[in-house]
Amino acid sequence: MSGVALGVNGQIEQLAHINSDPAAGGITREVFTADYMTANDYVADLMREIGLSVRLDPFGNLFGRLEGSDPTAPAVMTGSHIDTTLNAGAYDGVLGVLGAIEAVRQLSSGAEGRPRRSIEVVVFAGEEPRFGSGCIGSRALVGQLSREDLDAMRDRSGVSIAEALRGVGLDPDRVGEASLDPSGVMAFVELHIEQGSVLEELGVPIGVVTHIAAPHDMLVTIRGAAAHAGATPMHARRDALAGAVEAAVELERLGRESPSGTTVATVGAISASPGAINVIPGEAELKVDIRDRDLAARDAVADAFLAALAEITERRGLELEVATIARDTPVQCSPVIVDAARAACRELAVEHVEITSGAYHDAMLMSAKVPVGMIFVPSVGGISHSPHEYTKPDDIDRGVHVLAGTLRVLAETP
């Protein structure tokens, strides 16, 4: 049986078998690994099977293009990613790629004939943060990833992006050639699972995304003095972990009291060293994520947190170091794309609701150069980045039909 004949749900199951750590129970397929490249080849074969012309750019972003009846008109672009975080689920990103291929197949074989504008499916290389920052493929496309970044950004094993690129036969010195010419793209649309529970709670099958929240991520390092836990009196301690914990609680308070009411603030990881039960921690690290669709509110929370960090560490006699991991700008989706998605829902008699994306996606980065929009389908239980991530087959098929309709509207737009 051909890959296309399996349908999107069958293809998702097939792709899930390409897994670097099946014993963990979920799916691990990090960008620029052997398994990732195998998955990329699987997707490229699906593209060729429906008649798309396929290319791989110098950074490893994969493209499949359906030429329109007017190839000189700026194209409509759609897609997502197929890499995963550690021990993840089968749907995040993958739906936006396989669903895009199926949507283009439906358009190319439909009664309306070949669309006027070309449609290009893209598989972004590295949406998940293997190298500390996510969306590196889309960052390369919009010119936000320099050659120096490729040496500086490393994974948990110390492998740089440049080394990983060489390992799969790509040349890091050509990263600049991956930059996208925005004059050739009319719009970018990304189909995605919601990764939250709003649609499920409302009982609505489609979310038309109007805004994408963006993160201010930082690495906070607090240094005190490691000392014997039994021999050091409480008043004489410079406990880095105690300072870090106080800061984490303060961040939670600031997030709850944000002026927008939509800010979320998280300490996603915390570590302390030396890590012995009888030693006062001399150093602690916090990985902090603050995000909102409201940039002013997000920045107000971040500024207040930095001020609180300074006060906490000074009062406790600790040293403080803060490094920015990412500081992206929230996105308002293109009204043209939002209207096209609404029109597709009306044509299909599918109920929909306007929604904000709390998670960031490649669409957020692409907005730096081209108009963007997103379409969400429900996530059962709001679960994502987990082996229990699941979206019902009917919801997947419905999302693909809405994407196809949206692409058709955009492709025929003068």
Side-chain angles (χ1 to χ4, degrees):
M1 180 182 290
S2 72
V4 171
L6 290 171
V8 174
N9 289 286
Q11 293 161 13
I12 290 172
E13 185 177 343
Q14 287 281 306
L15 206 56
H17 290 303
I18 307 174
N19 184 0
S20 301
D21 189 14
I27 300 166
T28 296
R29 190 170 54 240
E30 292 191 292
V31 70
F32 303 142
T33 61
D35 285 314
Y36 176 81
M37 300 309 291
T38 298
N40 228 33
D41 289 343
Y42 175 84
V43 172
D45 287 343
L46 292 177
M47 290 175 170
R48 294 187 185 97
E49 195 173 335
I50 69 165
L52 305 188
S53 58
V54 177
R55 66 183 176 90
L56 193 70
D57 80 6
F59 194 76
N61 296 305
L62 176 67
F63 297 84
R65 185 179 179 94
L66 174 72
E67 206 68 53
S69 61
D70 180 5
T72 65
V76 178
M77 186 177 284
T78 182
S80 194
H81 64 99
I82 60 170
D83 66 307
T84 75
T85 188
L86 302 178
N87 199 33
Y91 300 85
D92 174 21
V94 169
L95 171 60
V97 171
L98 300 179
I101 294 171
E102 172 58 19
V104 172
R105 186 198 68 78
Q106 292 176 11
L107 290 179
S108 64
S109 60
E112 299 91 343
R114 189 172 289 259
R116 184 176 77 83
R117 296 179 186 272
S118 300
I119 300 178
E120 198 156 39
V121 178
V122 56
V123 184
F124 296 103
E127 196 264 2
E128 301 295 353
R130 172 186 170 185
F131 298 97
S133 179
C135 298
I136 56 174
S138 48
R139 289 183 196 277
L141 276 179
V142 300
Q144 294 183 12
L145 202 64
S146 69
R147 177 62 184 84
E148 292 73 23
D149 291 331
L150 304 190
D151 289 323
M153 297 171 66
R154 296 177 178 269
D155 68 11
R156 71 192 72 83
S157 300
V159 177
S160 70
I161 298 178
E163 291 166 339
L165 285 167
R166 292 190 193 99
V168 295
L170 297 169
D171 183 356
D173 292 333
R174 297 181 60 200
V175 62
E177 298 175 33
S179 185
L180 178 75
D181 178 3
S183 68
V185 180
M186 179 257 188
F188 171 75
V189 190
E190 186 170 1
L191 174 65
H192 211 281
I193 61 171
E194 182 194 346
Q195 299 181 285
S197 58
V198 173
L199 294 178
E200 186 177 61
E201 290 173 0
L202 293 174
V204 176
I206 293 291
V208 176
V209 178
T210 57
H211 296 81
I212 305 171
H216 181 170
D217 291 346
M218 59 186 86
L219 176 64
V220 176
T221 304
I222 297 173
R223 297 184 179 90
H228 195 289
T232 309
M234 297 302 292
H235 72 272
R237 297 179 177 217
R238 295 174 58 222
D239 187 330
L241 181 57
V245 170
E246 183 179 350
V249 173
E250 179 64 9
L251 177 67
E252 181 185 46
R253 184 190 69 79
L254 291 168
R256 288 180 183 276
E257 297 178 4
S258 164
S260 70
T262 53
T263 304
V264 289
T266 309
V267 174
I270 188 167
S271 61
S273 60
I277 192 171
N278 60 344
V279 181
I280 298 164
E283 182 172 300
E285 281 191 351
L286 302 91
K287 292 181 179 177
V288 175
D289 180 287
I290 305 168
R291 65 179 73 190
D292 201 334
R293 58 180 277 182
D294 184 324
L295 180 60
R298 187 200 71 185
D299 285 352
V301 170
D303 290 345
F305 177 60
L306 291 171
L309 276 172
E311 188 278 326
I312 290 166
T313 52
E314 182 178 1
R315 170 166 42 84
R316 289 177 171 271
L318 305 170
E319 298 171 8
L320 174 65
E321 181 180 335
V322 180
T324 298
I325 298 172
R327 190 172 183 176
D328 294 309
T329 303
V331 170
Q332 180 174 352
C333 293
S334 163
V336 172
I337 301 174
V338 170
D339 287 346
R342 289 187 190 124
C345 288
R346 288 195 299 269
E347 177 71 20
L348 294 165
V350 173
E351 187 180 2
H352 67 280
V353 65
E354 294 184 1
I355 193 171
T356 293
S357 174
Y360 69 84
H361 304 278
D362 288 301
M364 182 186 74
L365 273 298
M366 290 292 287
S367 71
K369 281 202 171 182
V370 300
V372 303
M374 295 192 74
I375 298 164
F376 278 175
V377 295
S379 296
V380 173
I383 297 170
S384 185
H385 285 187
S386 161
H388 302 295
E389 178 181 276
Y390 183 65
T391 293
K392 296 175 183 177
D394 287 350
D395 285 328
I396 287 174
D397 292 339
R398 189 180 295 109
V400 171
H401 290 317
V402 171
L403 175 63
T406 303
L407 295 175
R408 171 66 72 178
V409 172
L410 294 171
E412 300 303 332
T413 299

